[in-house]
Amino acid sequence: MRLHFTLLVCLAAALSSAVVTSPINLWTKLILTQQWPKTFCSSEPCQLNVSYWTLHGLWPDKGEFCNSSWHFNSTEIEDLIPDLKKVWPDLLNPSSFHFWKYEWSKHGTCAAEAASLNSQHKYFSKALEFYQKVDLNSMLQKANIIPSDKYYTFSDIEQAMENFYGVKPKIQCLHPSMNSEFQTLGQIEICFDADFALQDCEKHFATNTLSRGQWDQNKSSGLSVCSPDIPVYYPPTS
């Protein structure tokens, strides 16, 4: 009887431990976030002139800074660095790894809770894969939505993207001052489910800041979902 009781106690302890360590809040969505450099650089001292959409990050919908002991190591992604420098550049300091280090610490360590992304190489590779898959630059060009001094309606951009991808993106703008007649296109999020299939983005997902210089202070930059009623300015790079 005593042996039976002891076994029950051990089993209960094991089950309790399993519950504590299981990933109860594992993410269910990945947000591929791309930024328009001209808009970003309108308020930042950029050191790189880029005329195409660049990666801002690949963000799981749950968690931030999930493993402070899992430090960024550039040697693990050495083969990816040429592509990362092109499509995921640090516009403020092109020779630095700080941007990737920050994104890995804040978002990558949380994405890595899934076995499919459980290394730095898998995480950054998947971001590059998604970037090529959605090919936002070509998609907008094909829809005749190009950087120019003309204004677009929000529905022009949203509908073109929905028609092409079959899902609803999240389109963010830098909002105007009191008397401005337009909002400026700044950032676009395209979402994937846990199996890496495209899915609708929720417009109420928390807005990330535009300025990486403001990240640590956790201040808002003014980027949020574009208003459907205000003309959208897609600024040319020159």
Side-chain angles (χ1 to χ4, degrees), residues 1-2 8-9 11 16 18 41 48-49 65 72 112 118 124 137 141 154 157 209 236 238:
M1 185 67 177
R2 180 176 299 175
L8 286 176
V9 170
L11 178 60
S16 176
C41 295
L48 192 64
N49 185 19
F65 300 104
F72 175 76
N118 64 358
F124 285 101
N137 294 284
Q141 289 178 0
F154 173 73
I157 302 172
T209 60
S238 59

PDB file of all heavy atoms in Angstrom, residues 1-2 8-9 11 16 18 41 48-49 65 72 112 118 124 137 141 154 157 209 236 238:
ATOM      1  N   MET A   1       0.838  -1.203   0.000  1.00  0.00           N
ATOM      2  CA  MET A   1       0.000   0.000   0.000  1.00  0.00           C
ATOM      3  C   MET A   1       0.875   1.256   0.000  1.00  0.00           C
ATOM      4  O   MET A   1       0.623   2.214  -0.715  1.00  0.00           O
ATOM      5  CB  MET A   1      -0.904  -0.017   1.242  1.00  0.00           C
ATOM      6  CG  MET A   1      -1.899   1.135   1.270  1.00  0.00           C
ATOM      7  SD  MET A   1      -3.112   0.951  -0.051  1.00  0.00           S
ATOM      8  CE  MET A   1      -4.160   2.361   0.301  1.00  0.00           C
ATOM      9  N   ARG A   2       1.942   1.234   0.828  1.00  0.00           N
ATOM     10  CA  ARG A   2       2.836   2.387   0.904  1.00  0.00           C
ATOM     11  C   ARG A   2       3.534   2.606  -0.438  1.00  0.00           C
ATOM     12  O   ARG A   2       3.706   3.724  -0.885  1.00  0.00           O
ATOM     13  CB  ARG A   2       3.868   2.162   2.008  1.00  0.00           C
ATOM     14  CG  ARG A   2       4.837   3.328   2.162  1.00  0.00           C
ATOM     15  CD  ARG A   2       5.762   3.111   3.325  1.00  0.00           C
ATOM     16  NE  ARG A   2       5.027   3.009   4.583  1.00  0.00           N
ATOM     17  CZ  ARG A   2       5.589   2.728   5.757  1.00  0.00           C
ATOM     18  NH1 ARG A   2       6.881   2.478   5.822  1.00  0.00           N
ATOM     19  NH2 ARG A   2       4.845   2.672   6.834  1.00  0.00           N
ATOM     20  N   LEU A   8       1.967   6.939  -6.766  1.00  0.00           N
ATOM     21  CA  LEU A   8       0.958   7.941  -7.103  1.00  0.00           C
ATOM     22  C   LEU A   8       1.501   9.351  -6.892  1.00  0.00           C
ATOM     23  O   LEU A   8       1.256  10.253  -7.709  1.00  0.00           O
ATOM     24  CB  LEU A   8      -0.305   7.733  -6.252  1.00  0.00           C
ATOM     25  CG  LEU A   8      -1.184   6.535  -6.629  1.00  0.00           C
ATOM     26  CD1 LEU A   8      -2.331   6.407  -5.623  1.00  0.00           C
ATOM     27  CD2 LEU A   8      -1.743   6.705  -8.047  1.00  0.00           C
ATOM     28  N   VAL A   9       2.224   9.537  -5.798  1.00  0.00           N
ATOM     29  CA  VAL A   9       2.814  10.846  -5.517  1.00  0.00           C
ATOM     30  C   VAL A   9       3.805  11.223  -6.599  1.00  0.00           C
ATOM     31  O   VAL A   9       3.826  12.356  -7.094  1.00  0.00           O
ATOM     32  CB  VAL A   9       3.493  10.845  -4.133  1.00  0.00           C
ATOM     33  CG1 VAL A   9       4.318  12.123  -3.943  1.00  0.00           C
ATOM     34  CG2 VAL A   9       2.446  10.722  -3.038  1.00  0.00           C
ATOM     35  N   LEU A  11       3.916  10.146  -9.696  1.00  0.00           N
ATOM     36  CA  LEU A  11       3.199  10.397 -10.942  1.00  0.00           C
ATOM     37  C   LEU A  11       2.571  11.776 -10.934  1.00  0.00           C
ATOM     38  O   LEU A  11       2.632  12.513 -11.927  1.00  0.00           O
ATOM     39  CB  LEU A  11       2.121   9.318 -11.137  1.00  0.00           C
ATOM     40  CG  LEU A  11       1.233   9.469 -12.393  1.00  0.00           C
ATOM     41  CD1 LEU A  11       2.110   9.416 -13.642  1.00  0.00           C
ATOM     42  CD2 LEU A  11       0.175   8.368 -12.430  1.00  0.00           C
ATOM     43  N   SER A  16       2.541  17.388 -12.816  1.00  0.00           N
ATOM     44  CA  SER A  16       2.588  18.803 -12.451  1.00  0.00           C
ATOM     45  C   SER A  16       3.742  19.492 -13.143  1.00  0.00           C
ATOM     46  O   SER A  16       3.614  20.596 -13.672  1.00  0.00           O
ATOM     47  CB  SER A  16       2.716  18.946 -10.937  1.00  0.00           C
ATOM     48  OG  SER A  16       2.863  20.297 -10.573  1.00  0.00           O
ATOM     49  N   ALA A  18       5.161  18.600 -15.912  1.00  0.00           N
ATOM     50  CA  ALA A  18       4.902  18.690 -17.354  1.00  0.00           C
ATOM     51  C   ALA A  18       4.019  19.867 -17.682  1.00  0.00           C
ATOM     52  O   ALA A  18       4.205  20.558 -18.679  1.00  0.00           O
ATOM     53  CB  ALA A  18       4.247  17.393 -17.839  1.00  0.00           C
ATOM     54  N   CYS A  41      12.715  56.811 -43.005  1.00  0.00           N
ATOM     55  CA  CYS A  41      13.833  57.752 -43.012  1.00  0.00           C
ATOM     56  C   CYS A  41      13.395  59.211 -42.996  1.00  0.00           C
ATOM     57  O   CYS A  41      14.244  60.103 -42.878  1.00  0.00           O
ATOM     58  CB  CYS A  41      14.725  57.484 -44.226  1.00  0.00           C
ATOM     59  SG  CYS A  41      15.533  55.853 -44.176  1.00  0.00           S
ATOM     60  N   LEU A  48      21.499  54.633 -45.282  1.00  0.00           N
ATOM     61  CA  LEU A  48      21.392  53.752 -46.429  1.00  0.00           C
ATOM     62  C   LEU A  48      20.192  54.185 -47.254  1.00  0.00           C
ATOM     63  O   LEU A  48      19.107  54.399 -46.719  1.00  0.00           O
ATOM     64  CB  LEU A  48      21.213  52.302 -45.960  1.00  0.00           C
ATOM     65  CG  LEU A  48      21.369  51.181 -46.985  1.00  0.00           C
ATOM     66  CD1 LEU A  48      22.802  51.154 -47.514  1.00  0.00           C
ATOM     67  CD2 LEU A  48      21.013  49.841 -46.350  1.00  0.00           C
ATOM     68  N   ASN A  49      20.392  54.341 -48.552  1.00  0.00           N
ATOM     69  CA  ASN A  49      19.324  54.748 -49.454  1.00  0.00           C
ATOM     70  C   ASN A  49      18.788  53.510 -50.165  1.00  0.00           C
ATOM     71  O   ASN A  49      19.455  52.931 -51.016  1.00  0.00           O
ATOM     72  CB  ASN A  49      19.846  55.769 -50.467  1.00  0.00           C
ATOM     73  CG  ASN A  49      18.741  56.305 -51.357  1.00  0.00           C
ATOM     74  OD1 ASN A  49      17.567  56.212 -51.025  1.00  0.00           O
ATOM     75  ND2 ASN A  49      19.121  56.842 -52.505  1.00  0.00           N
ATOM     76  N   PHE A  65      10.792  38.804 -25.845  1.00  0.00           N
ATOM     77  CA  PHE A  65      11.988  38.509 -25.053  1.00  0.00           C
ATOM     78  C   PHE A  65      11.797  37.218 -24.247  1.00  0.00           C
ATOM     79  O   PHE A  65      11.870  37.207 -23.023  1.00  0.00           O
ATOM     80  CB  PHE A  65      12.304  39.676 -24.113  1.00  0.00           C
ATOM     81  CG  PHE A  65      12.562  40.981 -24.824  1.00  0.00           C
ATOM     82  CD1 PHE A  65      11.600  41.981 -24.853  1.00  0.00           C
ATOM     83  CD2 PHE A  65      13.763  41.204 -25.487  1.00  0.00           C
ATOM     84  CE1 PHE A  65      11.827  43.183 -25.509  1.00  0.00           C
ATOM     85  CE2 PHE A  65      13.997  42.401 -26.151  1.00  0.00           C
ATOM     86  CZ  PHE A  65      13.031  43.398 -26.159  1.00  0.00           C
ATOM     87  N   PHE A  72      22.074  36.327 -29.456  1.00  0.00           N
ATOM     88  CA  PHE A  72      22.289  36.349 -30.899  1.00  0.00           C
ATOM     89  C   PHE A  72      23.739  36.005 -31.223  1.00  0.00           C
ATOM     90  O   PHE A  72      24.666  36.488 -30.582  1.00  0.00           O
ATOM     91  CB  PHE A  72      21.948  37.733 -31.443  1.00  0.00           C
ATOM     92  CG  PHE A  72      22.232  37.915 -32.904  1.00  0.00           C
ATOM     93  CD1 PHE A  72      21.393  37.364 -33.862  1.00  0.00           C
ATOM     94  CD2 PHE A  72      23.348  38.629 -33.323  1.00  0.00           C
ATOM     95  CE1 PHE A  72      21.655  37.522 -35.212  1.00  0.00           C
ATOM     96  CE2 PHE A  72      23.613  38.803 -34.667  1.00  0.00           C
ATOM     97  CZ  PHE A  72      22.766  38.246 -35.617  1.00  0.00           C
ATOM     98  N   ALA A 112      11.010  30.781 -31.699  1.00  0.00           N
ATOM     99  CA  ALA A 112      11.789  29.560 -31.569  1.00  0.00           C
ATOM    100  C   ALA A 112      11.200  28.563 -30.576  1.00  0.00           C
ATOM    101  O   ALA A 112      11.717  27.446 -30.444  1.00  0.00           O
ATOM    102  CB  ALA A 112      13.230  29.897 -31.164  1.00  0.00           C
ATOM    103  N   ASN A 118      13.243  26.578 -34.234  1.00  0.00           N
ATOM    104  CA  ASN A 118      13.979  26.506 -32.965  1.00  0.00           C
ATOM    105  C   ASN A 118      15.483  26.720 -33.095  1.00  0.00           C
ATOM    106  O   ASN A 118      16.271  26.117 -32.364  1.00  0.00           O
ATOM    107  CB  ASN A 118      13.688  25.193 -32.252  1.00  0.00           C
ATOM    108  CG  ASN A 118      14.173  23.974 -33.034  1.00  0.00           C
ATOM    109  OD1 ASN A 118      14.691  24.116 -34.140  1.00  0.00           O
ATOM    110  ND2 ASN A 118      13.980  22.797 -32.472  1.00  0.00           N
ATOM    111  N   PHE A 124      15.721  33.185 -39.144  1.00  0.00           N
ATOM    112  CA  PHE A 124      16.067  34.173 -40.163  1.00  0.00           C
ATOM    113  C   PHE A 124      15.852  33.620 -41.575  1.00  0.00           C
ATOM    114  O   PHE A 124      15.469  34.362 -42.485  1.00  0.00           O
ATOM    115  CB  PHE A 124      17.511  34.651 -39.966  1.00  0.00           C
ATOM    116  CG  PHE A 124      17.677  35.587 -38.806  1.00  0.00           C
ATOM    117  CD1 PHE A 124      18.180  35.131 -37.595  1.00  0.00           C
ATOM    118  CD2 PHE A 124      17.315  36.925 -38.909  1.00  0.00           C
ATOM    119  CE1 PHE A 124      18.318  35.991 -36.511  1.00  0.00           C
ATOM    120  CE2 PHE A 124      17.451  37.790 -37.833  1.00  0.00           C
ATOM    121  CZ  PHE A 124      17.951  37.327 -36.631  1.00  0.00           C
ATOM    122  N   ASN A 137       7.127  44.016 -53.275  1.00  0.00           N
ATOM    123  CA  ASN A 137       7.539  45.031 -54.240  1.00  0.00           C
ATOM    124  C   ASN A 137       6.913  44.780 -55.615  1.00  0.00           C
ATOM    125  O   ASN A 137       6.318  45.683 -56.216  1.00  0.00           O
ATOM    126  CB  ASN A 137       9.069  45.051 -54.352  1.00  0.00           C
ATOM    127  CG  ASN A 137       9.749  45.513 -53.081  1.00  0.00           C
ATOM    128  OD1 ASN A 137       9.779  46.692 -52.772  1.00  0.00           O
ATOM    129  ND2 ASN A 137      10.293  44.570 -52.324  1.00  0.00           N
ATOM    130  N   GLN A 141       3.723  46.793 -57.722  1.00  0.00           N
ATOM    131  CA  GLN A 141       3.994  47.294 -59.070  1.00  0.00           C
ATOM    132  C   GLN A 141       2.999  46.732 -60.078  1.00  0.00           C
ATOM    133  O   GLN A 141       2.489  47.458 -60.946  1.00  0.00           O
ATOM    134  CB  GLN A 141       5.422  46.948 -59.481  1.00  0.00           C
ATOM    135  CG  GLN A 141       6.489  47.738 -58.736  1.00  0.00           C
ATOM    136  CD  GLN A 141       7.901  47.327 -59.133  1.00  0.00           C
ATOM    137  OE1 GLN A 141       8.083  46.446 -59.976  1.00  0.00           O
ATOM    138  NE2 GLN A 141       8.884  47.956 -58.517  1.00  0.00           N
ATOM    139  N   PHE A 154      -7.156  54.252 -49.620  1.00  0.00           N
ATOM    140  CA  PHE A 154      -6.774  53.088 -48.829  1.00  0.00           C
ATOM    141  C   PHE A 154      -7.345  51.822 -49.449  1.00  0.00           C
ATOM    142  O   PHE A 154      -6.674  50.782 -49.502  1.00  0.00           O
ATOM    143  CB  PHE A 154      -7.273  53.244 -47.395  1.00  0.00           C
ATOM    144  CG  PHE A 154      -7.063  52.021 -46.554  1.00  0.00           C
ATOM    145  CD1 PHE A 154      -5.794  51.676 -46.114  1.00  0.00           C
ATOM    146  CD2 PHE A 154      -8.127  51.191 -46.213  1.00  0.00           C
ATOM    147  CE1 PHE A 154      -5.586  50.533 -45.349  1.00  0.00           C
ATOM    148  CE2 PHE A 154      -7.929  50.053 -45.455  1.00  0.00           C
ATOM    149  CZ  PHE A 154      -6.658  49.723 -45.017  1.00  0.00           C
ATOM    150  N   ILE A 157      -5.255  50.146 -52.232  1.00  0.00           N
ATOM    151  CA  ILE A 157      -4.124  49.338 -51.787  1.00  0.00           C
ATOM    152  C   ILE A 157      -4.594  48.046 -51.126  1.00  0.00           C
ATOM    153  O   ILE A 157      -4.118  46.952 -51.448  1.00  0.00           O
ATOM    154  CB  ILE A 157      -3.246  50.149 -50.813  1.00  0.00           C
ATOM    155  CG1 ILE A 157      -2.747  51.433 -51.487  1.00  0.00           C
ATOM    156  CG2 ILE A 157      -2.073  49.308 -50.313  1.00  0.00           C
ATOM    157  CD1 ILE A 157      -2.041  52.388 -50.561  1.00  0.00           C
ATOM    158  N   THR A 209       6.573  50.248 -32.973  1.00  0.00           N
ATOM    159  CA  THR A 209       7.048  51.595 -33.250  1.00  0.00           C
ATOM    160  C   THR A 209       7.744  51.674 -34.580  1.00  0.00           C
ATOM    161  O   THR A 209       8.359  50.722 -35.041  1.00  0.00           O
ATOM    162  CB  THR A 209       8.032  52.042 -32.160  1.00  0.00           C
ATOM    163  OG1 THR A 209       9.130  51.154 -32.130  1.00  0.00           O
ATOM    164  CG2 THR A 209       7.368  52.109 -30.821  1.00  0.00           C
ATOM    165  N   PRO A 236       7.817  58.699 -53.194  1.00  0.00           N
ATOM    166  CA  PRO A 236       8.918  58.223 -54.041  1.00  0.00           C
ATOM    167  C   PRO A 236      10.241  58.368 -53.324  1.00  0.00           C
ATOM    168  O   PRO A 236      10.394  59.176 -52.416  1.00  0.00           O
ATOM    169  CB  PRO A 236       8.841  59.139 -55.270  1.00  0.00           C
ATOM    170  CG  PRO A 236       8.153  60.370 -54.777  1.00  0.00           C
ATOM    171  CD  PRO A 236       7.209  59.933 -53.709  1.00  0.00           C
ATOM    172  N   SER A 238      13.116  59.287 -54.595  1.00  0.00           N
ATOM    173  CA  SER A 238      13.996  60.354 -55.089  1.00  0.00           C
ATOM    174  C   SER A 238      13.220  61.653 -55.276  1.00  0.00           C
ATOM    175  O   SER A 238      11.992  61.666 -55.245  1.00  0.00           O
ATOM    176  CB  SER A 238      14.631  59.935 -56.411  1.00  0.00           C
ATOM    177  OG  SER A 238      13.649  59.650 -57.375  1.00  0.00           O
TER     178      SER A 238
END
